[in-house]
Amino acid sequence: WSARGGIEAWGLLALLTEDPYYLEAIEEQFTAVSNDLPRNQYLTPSYLRGLSLVYDWTHSLVTPEQRERRAEVLCRLADYCRTIWRHNDFNNHFVAERMVVLYPGVVLHADGYFPDKVNSYLEEGKDFLSIHQANWRNYKLPNLEGLDTSSNSQTKLFNSF
């Protein structure tokens, strides 16, 4: 469940070294994704997760224009993820493929780009976390995949920030 091409590694190396090599590779990746947006149940959330982290890690290393272009890519990916079939809310697929919209919600919320979209990503995440996950003990129906499976996917989100 990581973006293709090692984007997370490039982002972390860019943050740690500020080496233009990694920053250029990241810019190429954002451009490639923008030009050919992946539309796949597994690949698109993977890109969204990885590129969101890279957006955050390289925030101070790029121009405002680059950030805005990257924010637009994140929103396009997130909007696609919202079209993925919504399994039951305790299902790890739901958390990994649909709730991944929390990543751009978190990393973009203070930048002012596409505020309506970003706020809607955060609102969807807030509803999921407060209504379903924080109150899971109130549910009497069995969870076919188990809370642990869903929680594992959530842990990836929480640990990223």
Side-chain angles (χ1 to χ4, degrees), residues 30 33-34 37-39 44 47-49 51-52 55 67-83 100-109 111-122 124:
F30 269 98
V33 170
S34 179
L37 193 75
R39 298 187 192 305
T44 307
Y47 271 108
L48 181 56
R49 194 172 16 264
L51 291 173
S52 292
Y55 178 94
R67 282 195 293 275
E68 185 172 11
R69 281 194 307 274
R70 291 174 179 193
E72 190 264 337
V73 170
L74 296 179
C75 288
R76 288 176 55 208
L77 290 168
D79 290 344
Y80 174 79
C81 288
R82 286 179 138 177
T83 70
V100 72
V101 301
L102 275 170
Y103 282 86
V106 170
V107 301
L108 297 176
H109 80 279
D111 282 350
Y113 305 122
F114 314 103
D116 292 340
K117 286 180 179 282
V118 171
N119 288 334
S120 70
Y121 306 148
L122 290 172
E124 187 171 348

Side-chain angles (χ1 to χ4, degrees), residues 1-3 8 12 15 45-58 95-96 99-100 102-104 106-107 151-161:
W1 287 96
S2 62
E8 295 98 333
L12 192 53
L15 173 66
S46 175
Y47 271 108
L48 181 56
R49 194 172 16 264
L51 291 173
S52 292
L53 293 173
V54 169
Y55 178 94
D56 188 52
W57 295 339
T58 61
V95 175
M99 286 317 304
V100 72
L102 275 170
Y103 282 86
V106 170
V107 301
S151 294
N152 180 49
S153 294
Q154 287 178 54
T155 300
K156 288 181 181 179
L157 171 68
F158 300 145
N159 287 343
S160 297
F161 300 102

